[in-house]
Amino acid sequence: MNRIDALFARLKAENRRALMPFLTAGDPDLATTAALIPELVRRGASMLEIGIPYSDPVADGPVIAASYHRALTQGVKVAHIFQTLRTLRAEGSDAVRDTPLVSMVSYSIVNRMGVDRYLNDAATAGLDGLIVPDLPVEESASLQDKATRRNLKLIQLITPTTPRARAVEIARLTTGFIYYVSVAGITGERKALPEDLKANVAWLRTQTDLPICIGFGISSPEQVEELAEVADGLIVGSALVRRLADSATRSRADLVKEVGDFIGSLADALNAGDAVG
Amino acid sequence: MSHPASTGSSTSTTIAQAPDALGRFGAFGGRFVPETLMDALNQLSAAYEEAKADPEFVRELEYYWKDYVGRPSSLYRADRLTKFAGGAEIYLKREDLNHTGAHKINNAIGQVMIARRMGKKRVIAETGAGQHGVATATACALFGISCTVYMGEEDIRRQKLNVFNMRTMGATVVPVSSGSKTLRDATNEAFRDWMGSSKETHYTIGSVVGPHPFPTIVRDFQSVIGREARAQIQEKAGRLPDAVVACVGGGSNAAGIFYPFIGDESVELIGAEAGGRGRKSGDHAASLTQGKPGVLHGSFSYVLQDDDGQTQDVHSISAGLDYPGVGPEHAYWKDSGRVRYESVTDAEALAAYGEAARQEGILPALESSHAIAQAFKEAKRLGPGKILITCLSGRGDKDAFEVARLRGEPIT
């Protein structure tokens, strides 16, 4: 069974929600990424999204765009990222080996490597799925088919600007889980989330049996606790990545601890919400 | 103009002249954008189809082109340049004589009119050399719509005059400090703005690039250049030209002048790309002649990128050509063999800038200077008795400061 399916089956049985941190591979370096992954798993991450740095991300806000730039500036390549993940899968603890990993990757990168090679390398690196934010469903049929044949999930996004009929169609074409984008805009921390967010997710739940995870703009324990009412999982990106931004002044151990503490605080909030819910 | 998309060509063609339903020109084009923008693109496609079928829209657009822009632009026989080049007769299609000094106004007015039809309250744009920014700021002033222009800090330095003019017309110019601080980074920022604002904002893309339907919309609006040139040369010379040359960055003036000639198999079409300082990566912006098929800014086309799909740094003396991608229809024309693309160096373009000034009293934009440099080569190759049209896409006032700096004679 794909690790993503296994995770959501387990969480559903336990009436719990998934916490999904996003981190940019290679920011500030791959050794830190390799140290962060087990720490985040230990502190309560259910699944990890691994951002493959891209030179021209248009869906990402300044925090994640800058982290991509930092990783690329010091020469991180896709092959290096996959090698790091392969090592973690081979040598990590049982918990690390069982945690689903999903790459967030631009189609520019997938296309340049070749779809088959990207998927083969991703599968052997121990990835369980991919999110290709600049590949809408109209263009993704072939990738979906090839991913499925390798037991990889292709997770599609639904946004507040997606008309409802289109949302139903996207839900039909996605595998693993639905990535529900909370706001019409780029990634980044936001104090207030849209008022109709919970209602929109509740409606989507009536249209699909797939798990629904919410991302974009989520940064605080309060938001995590609130959204746990309607979501199967919560994705936290910029708020984590921001904590790695001034890596030059801090040791790797300090960075890992600080990010671990932050994810731990969100996991505690999610568990509290689950306990209430 | 009977129709923005009509070609005016009477001959049959073997090349499809419109994209398919997914916005594909052969293998190129499409939509490679975040889901957040898909609904805005679908709405824009519908609004454009509706507008171009509306005789009132077409009539109003033609009115502004004629009475505000100053169309038709002249087709001028450049006798002294012809003599200098020593071969085919060189004609210049004078887009530099348009209001705001470049072809960009043809498209900007059309797109801002569509934005108005769609009830958008705000227009955003990206600009490299500033000509598209000025054109968009102009059209927004004309129609009373709020305008924000994204521009790289390096381009702001190179194009101070255009920045000043945009601000004078009421536009907000937002400096972009990320990456190479040029057009590519300005485009990223404009997309980011649009991600969060598409409900009330239209993104006026300035070239035949970006996701479907932008490459088609911009090509259709710019095709007025080629339709006029085709009719004008038949009137002046009694026949079609032997060749048409235009510069290609994103490729809008080239698409505009080439498109109505696509079906005329006797007419050679030649695009001049920015060869910069040479063939080394980062020293040029020749996407078609040195790039690979890939994805950038929402469409599949030729891109200057590395083996990991990361966009490479580019260089051109001309801010308007300093871009690592190119319109997907050009990629299609290249692969089909219908258009030949050549690369022209900074030095060749600078020399052509000087020759046009000395021989004809015309200061071409540095972008257009690439086309003139290539025209010299083609005119010599074709020889006397042949006819060549070069698109003079814009005037060089904006570049005077940069040329002076490069010559070591700074104006300020």
Side-chain angles (χ1 to χ4, degrees), chain B residues 80-81 84 350-364 407:
Chain B
R80 280 169 52 78
L81 277 187
F84 170 80
L350 259 183
Y353 176 92
E355 287 308 332
R358 283 189 295 276
Q359 305 285 345
E360 297 284 358
I362 292 172
L363 285 171
R407 282 187 187 158

Side-chain angles (χ1 to χ4, degrees), chain A residues 210-233:
Chain A
L210 279 168
I212 302 170
C213 302
I214 303 177
F216 281 42
I218 298 167
S219 58
S220 69
E222 294 74 23
Q223 288 171 331
V224 164
E225 205 172 331
E226 189 187 343
L227 292 176
E229 284 175 32
V230 291
D232 298 292

Side-chain angles (χ1 to χ4, degrees), chain A residues 55-57 108 112 139 161, chain B residues 24 36 184 192 293 305 309 311:
Chain A
S55 55
D56 295 83
S108 177
R112 171 65 21 225
E139 300 282 356
T161 61
Chain B
R24 297 279 194 165
T36 302
R184 156 192 170 194
R192 288 182 186 129
Q305 57 178 201
T311 313

